Each structure stands twice: as structure tokens, then as C-alpha cells.
Amino acid sequence: MPEGEYNIGAAIPDNYNPTMSLTYTLDVRAGDRAFVDFGAQSRQAPASQAGSPEQGGGVSSILGIAGGVLLLGGIGLAWYALRLRRPRGQLGTGNYLRR
């Protein structure tokens, strides 16, 4: 591509709104690399968002339950680790009844 100043533009489909500038002026020199971002968003809500927001979710519920189980497991492991570190006294060993 020859050196020089170039005007770059993007066309978006009908029913889309631009989210970024659709035109960009770029000065090109030998060995240059350039990346230009363009963005567009649909004017209509996707089918998954078109319904009521209180649809209930299978995946969210499962992830919430899994997170709770992991949290409880972590608390249990922490408690167990603390119990292993703590030295036991004479009464805690059960040797006080032995002769």
C-alpha cells in the first residue's frame, strides 16, 4: 500500500446503531501497521432479553449453589486445618484415665 493519508469508513446494516466512530483518517508510512475498531449494536433487544427479567435461570441457580458448596467446603477445610495446628492439653488427649 503506498504511503499517504487514507480515510477509512465502515457501513453498518439497517437496524443497527454505531457504538464508535464510523470514519477514521489514517496517515500511513512505510512499515506501519494500523488497527482500526468499528462497532455497531442492534436496535432491537436480543430474544433472550426481550422477555420478562424475572424468567428464573437454570444456570444462575446452579452456579449459585455450586458457589455456596465451595464456600462451605473452604470454611470446613480452614476449621480442620486450625484444629490440626492447635496443640492439645493433657485433658484433650484422653490419657487422663489411663494408669
Side-chain angles (χ1 to χ4, degrees), residues 88-99:
R88 295 185 178 192
Q90 288 294 328
L91 296 177
T93 61
N95 292 332
Y96 59 92
L97 293 179
R98 192 182 311 170
R99 287 188 181 206

Side-chain angles (χ1 to χ4, degrees), residues 36-57:
V36 180
D37 293 326
F38 296 103
Q41 174 183 341
S42 176
R43 288 184 190 162
Q44 300 171 350
S48 63
Q49 295 179 359
S52 68
E54 298 296 325
Q55 290 178 348

Side-chain angles (χ1 to χ4, degrees), residues 9-99:
I12 58 174
D14 292 337
N15 294 327
Y16 279 79
N17 293 324
T19 58
M20 303 172 77
S21 177
L22 295 178
T23 59
Y24 188 76
T25 303
L26 183 64
D27 191 26
V28 178
R29 299 287 170 234
D32 282 353
R33 288 186 179 195
F35 298 93
V36 180
D37 293 326
F38 296 103
Q41 174 183 341
S42 176
R43 288 184 190 162
Q44 300 171 350
S48 63
Q49 295 179 359
S52 68
E54 298 296 325
Q55 290 178 348
V59 175
S60 292
S61 299
I62 292 171
L63 288 176
I65 291 170
V69 167
L70 286 173
L71 182 65
L72 290 175
I75 291 171
L77 284 173
W79 176 79
Y80 182 71
L82 286 174
R83 297 274 299 167
L84 287 177
R85 282 185 39 195
R86 217 178 286 164
R88 295 185 178 192
Q90 288 294 328
L91 296 177
T93 61
N95 292 332
Y96 59 92
L97 293 179
R98 192 182 311 170
R99 287 188 181 206

